[in-house]
Structure formats: structure tokens, C-alpha cells
Amino acid sequence: MGKLDVASGEFWMESPWESKGNNLSAFERNRILLNTRDGSFVDVSHLTKADLDSDSRSVVAGDFNHDGMEDLIVRNTGGGPLFVFENRFPKKHWLRVSLRGVRSNSLGIGAKLKLEAGPHTLWRELYPGNTFLSQMPSQVCFGLGDATRVDRLTIFWPSGEHQVLEALPVDAHVRVTEGEDSPQRIAPGKGPLADASRVSP
């Protein structure tokens, strides 16, 4: 175990099974891996400042500043407050999708989504990730690179229904209701249950 870094806000409460004044992390740093799109990953942890040596227990990815890019919140035990890491990669196009099940469960958990944009086909599944005492938002995020429109979005609902939407906008958050042809556009900073406008193809 390492000594507490009091200057960065680390703390540890006295317990019967740990030495007082020590950090559980043992200086095992967090890792961030960059997908190189050729089947491999590059460790970019040292470039992000997210490679803390605190005892990190949970991480949540979400667009916390509403710029379309996924940021990170990291929580440590014995390591001070929450840490928020803003995504500062070069900005590209994106699409965020929330689901509203009718025959399926209300959040569409378990749905598979196939997005086609130009020569690219992307697959996602709606399974909100869970880490210790935390959970990801019930949304699906697509990074679209330089694509300026979504040609087709196919949703395979848990009920067995297949729903196809065409000509969706980019740089938008939409809510798709099972069985309805027109998705709703969600305003930045609003949840999927807030007032939303219809998206016309």
C-alpha cells in the first residue's frame, strides 16, 4: 500500500483490516486504451491525466457537458472526491439514441441497433454498463467520424420487432418509440422524458 496523497484530497478512514494512513491502490494506475480501428488498441493513459494511482472503484461514461462527446467520471475509495475527465479529442459527428419500448421493456434494454452511414456499419447493444455503485445512462452512442447523415438505423427490439428509420440527422440525441416512424429530438441537457420535437427525415 502507498502513502496517502493528502495534497490531492486522498483520505482513508480507519478500519480494522487496513493500516491507518495508507492507500489501498498500491499505485496500480488506471488505463485508457485508444481503439486504432485495425483490431488493436494503444495505451494513452499517460496523455489523459486519468491514470490516477488512487484505488478507483467505478467509472461512468456520459456526455456531461452536452457537446456530443463521451466524458468520464471516476470515483475512488480512499482517494478523495469524484474526478471528471472532459473528452478533448478532435470533434467529429455523432448520434445518441434513447429507446422507449412499448411491447418491449420501457427502456428497450437488450435491443440491438445497426447504424449505416456511407460505407460504415456500426452495431451497438443497449446494455447500460454497471460498475461499483454506479451505472451508465440507458442510451446508445455512435461516433460517426466525418459522416454528415445517417442513412439507416435498424433497431432489433427485445419483443422481436425490427424497426427501420432512414435519413436521421447527425450531432443529435433522438428518442425512438417502438413502432413509431418518427423519432423525437431531445434538447441538449434534457432527459428522454422531457419535451421533444419530432425529427423529419
Side-chain angles (χ1 to χ4, degrees), residues 16 19 23 26 43 52-53 64 66 82 84 98 113 115 122 128 136 139 149 171 185 195 199:
S19 299
N23 190 327
D43 187 344
L52 307 170
D53 63 2
F64 301 113
H66 313 300
L82 295 172
V84 180
S98 296
L113 294 85
L115 181 143
L122 302 173
M136 307 291 185
Q139 302 169 352
R149 62 176 273 166
D171 302 335
R185 189 165 185 157
D195 291 337
V199 174

Side-chain angles (χ1 to χ4, degrees), residues 27-102:
F27 301 105
E28 297 170 354
R29 306 188 81 87
N30 296 336
R31 292 287 176 258
I32 292 191
L33 303 177
L34 178 66
N35 187 342
T36 60
R37 300 179 66 182
D38 64 359
S40 63
F41 294 83
V42 174
D43 187 344
V44 296
S45 309
H46 63 288
L47 300 175
T48 66
K49 295 188 178 180
D51 61 337
L52 307 170
D53 63 2
S54 298
D55 187 20
S56 299
R57 296 297 180 95
S58 62
V59 60
V60 171
D63 182 11
F64 301 113
N65 57 357
H66 313 300
D67 65 353
M69 301 174 68
E70 299 288 283
D71 309 299
L72 296 177
I73 288 183
V74 177
R75 180 66 176 104
N76 307 306
T77 180
L82 295 172
F83 288 88
V84 180
F85 297 96
E86 181 182 2
N87 187 338
R88 294 183 179 175
F89 275 93
K91 192 163 179 60
K92 297 289 185 177
H93 295 298
W94 54 276
L95 178 70
R96 179 170 293 106
V97 181
S98 296
L99 299 179
R100 180 177 176 272
V102 177

Side-chain angles (χ1 to χ4, degrees), residues 131-183:
T131 57
F132 183 66
L133 298 179
S134 64
Q135 182 173 331
M136 307 291 185
S138 297
Q139 302 169 352
V140 175
C141 302
F142 294 96
L144 303 177
D146 296 323
T148 56
R149 62 176 273 166
V150 173
D151 299 318
R152 185 176 297 104
L153 176 66
T154 306
I155 303 171
F156 301 87
W157 292 89
S159 65
E161 180 173 349
H162 295 177
Q163 185 171 357
V164 179
L165 303 169
E166 297 185 337
L168 292 175
V170 300
D171 302 335
H173 179 185
V174 299
R175 179 178 65 183
V176 178
T177 298
E178 186 174 13
E180 293 187 7
D181 294 332
S182 298

